[in-house]
Amino acid sequence: MPIDCKAQCGNRASLKRPKTGDALCKACFFAAFEAEIHHTIISSKLFRRGEKVAVAASGGKDSTVLAHVLKLLNERHNYGLDLVLLSIDEGITGYRDDSLETVKKNRDDYQMPLKILSYEELYGWTMDRIVAQIGRSNNCTFCGVFRRQALDRGAKLLGVDSIATGHNADDIAETVLMNILRGDTARLRRCTNIRTGGSEDTISRVKPLKYSYEKEIVMYAHYKKLVYFSTECVFAPNAYRGHARAFLKDLEKVRPSVIMDIIYSGEQLRFKDTVKNPVRGICERCGFVSSQQPCKACVLLEGLNRGLPKLGIGKKSKGERMIAKQNQELALRERANLVKNDF
């Protein structure tokens, strides 16, 4: 039996919103989805008129919908923003090279300038080569750290005021769960923040899709016929996040509101004054934001270049012992060569 649109527009409902359970027609779903993102932007004061904003574009559903909606709302509500696309090429054959073609299509469709930076030009390494060195157990650590800094580097090159990322409600709920399970109070404190950074030395990052369900993003992209890349990263199946995602999906079957419940819980968390909070500063080596000296990206890169790919994995003291051991071996080898030359 046909159901009327709950918005009482006079049309028949053609879908059911996962977030609210409301039966809506396509037009009313589009309006509700866009209005919620507009409310998030305005209520959280994510942008100021005249700002230049880089949209982190991967070619996936989240960044494609983000670019589409930001362009739409910028024109509809006269935000006065200068929008550009910023993409990072991690060097993953059969994945990123294909998704970048989608990003280029988005560039043409939305008439937005595009800047692509690669790990190869920034670090001298590709993820394919890194995985060949480290294996598939810790590869996401390298990619995540390098990608975050690569976005900062790209944003600095473009001279933007902020970076808009496509993190959705599901992503944030998963991150809350991951940080709880790891006991990572530092990241747990800030993972629900809709804005991070933004001091004199750092470029702020904002999450306009913070309260948007992943299912609704997929529905929006589908019904709007947006072009996006849907293949999962070839190195992702072993990622720790996958376990948190599977757990969250199981919870959602029992309690559909669990995604928003977890986000709201994360926002309300309070910690004792005795809990140590890392101080964000500037890395002395590369000059980019970091909560340690040297930054994680520099430590990981040093490990790769030294032939010690696990240097930045685990505790700092472990890495220091690895460097000391390698330096000792090099010194012994050099001494042996000197003795050999004497003969």
Side-chain angles (χ1 to χ4, degrees), residues 41-54:
I41 291 171
I42 298 303
S43 61
S44 301
K45 299 178 181 178
L46 297 187
F47 308 116
R48 291 193 298 268
R49 177 175 293 279
E51 283 188 335
K52 186 175 183 180
V53 179

Side-chain angles (χ1 to χ4, degrees), residues 50-82:
E51 283 188 335
K52 186 175 183 180
V53 179
V55 180
S58 65
K61 63 185 184 315
D62 299 318
S63 64
T64 298
V65 168
L66 177 62
H68 173 85
V69 173
L70 278 183
K71 177 177 173 61
L72 184 73
L73 296 179
N74 189 38
E75 295 171 353
R76 179 183 296 168
H77 299 287
N78 194 24
Y79 291 162
L81 301 177
D82 179 13

Side-chain angles (χ1 to χ4, degrees), residues 39-272:
H39 174 74
T40 299
I41 291 171
I42 298 303
S43 61
S44 301
K45 299 178 181 178
L46 297 187
F47 308 116
R48 291 193 298 268
R49 177 175 293 279
E51 283 188 335
K52 186 175 183 180
V53 179
V55 180
S58 65
K61 63 185 184 315
D62 299 318
S63 64
T64 298
V65 168
L66 177 62
H68 173 85
V69 173
L70 278 183
K71 177 177 173 61
L72 184 73
L73 296 179
N74 189 38
E75 295 171 353
R76 179 183 296 168
H77 299 287
N78 194 24
Y79 291 162
L81 301 177
D82 179 13
L83 299 173
V84 298
L85 298 174
L86 174 59
S87 289
I88 306 300
D89 180 3
E90 300 94 340
I92 304 174
T93 305
Y95 171 68
R96 184 56 71 208
D97 45 358
D98 292 336
S99 69
L100 285 176
E101 293 304 313
T102 304
V103 174
K104 293 172 184 176
K105 181 71 165 56
N106 293 337
R107 172 198 62 194
D108 298 336
D109 290 343
Y110 307 140
Q111 295 296 299
M112 294 164 64
L114 169 64
K115 176 67 176 178
I116 300 175
L117 286 176
S118 70
Y119 283 7
E120 180 74 56
E121 61 182 296
L122 293 176
Y123 308 114
W125 288 81
T126 65
M127 277 308 300
D128 285 344
R129 289 178 57 209
I130 291 172
V131 172
Q133 291 287 321
I134 193 70
R136 296 200 175 202
S137 59
N138 294 294
N139 53 284
C140 288
T141 298
F142 282 84
C143 195
V145 171
F146 285 163
R147 182 177 175 79
R148 281 190 291 274
Q149 191 187 88
L151 284 172
D152 285 338
R153 288 173 178 266
K156 189 173 182 179
L157 284 173
L158 291 171
V160 302
D161 299 289
S162 63
I163 305 169
T165 63
H167 292 94
N168 59 48
D170 297 56
D171 295 329
I172 295 169
E174 290 164 11
T175 305
V176 171
L177 290 175
M178 289 169 62
N179 290 331
I180 289 174
L181 294 173
R182 289 188 300 210
D184 194 337
T185 54
R187 287 189 175 90
L188 187 55
R189 277 183 165 181
R190 64 175 185 263
C191 69
T192 58
N193 292 345
I194 198 166
R195 179 193 296 274
T196 56
S199 64
E200 291 182 2
D201 299 315
T202 62
I203 296 171
S204 66
R205 297 189 185 200
V206 296
K207 306 167 187 170
L209 302 182
K210 177 183 175 180
Y211 300 111
S212 300
Y213 274 32
E214 183 177 55
K215 290 179 181 177
E216 296 200 351
I217 291 171
V218 172
M219 289 171 64
Y220 186 88
H222 172 72
Y223 287 118
K224 281 282 187 179
K225 293 181 171 55
L226 303 183
V227 178
Y228 67 92
F229 186 75
S230 57
T231 303
E232 186 181 44
C233 174
V234 294
F235 300 135
N238 297 318
Y240 183 56
R241 178 176 289 274
H243 301 292
R245 179 177 295 122
F247 179 51
L248 183 64
K249 295 306 178 188
D250 289 339
L251 291 175
E252 192 180 4
K253 293 174 186 175
V254 180
R255 183 181 175 87
S257 65
V258 71
I259 293 173
M260 295 307 299
D261 294 341
I262 291 174
I263 293 175
Y264 290 145
S265 297
E267 290 174 337
Q268 300 304 316
L269 281 175
R270 296 293 179 269
F271 297 87
K272 294 180 180 179

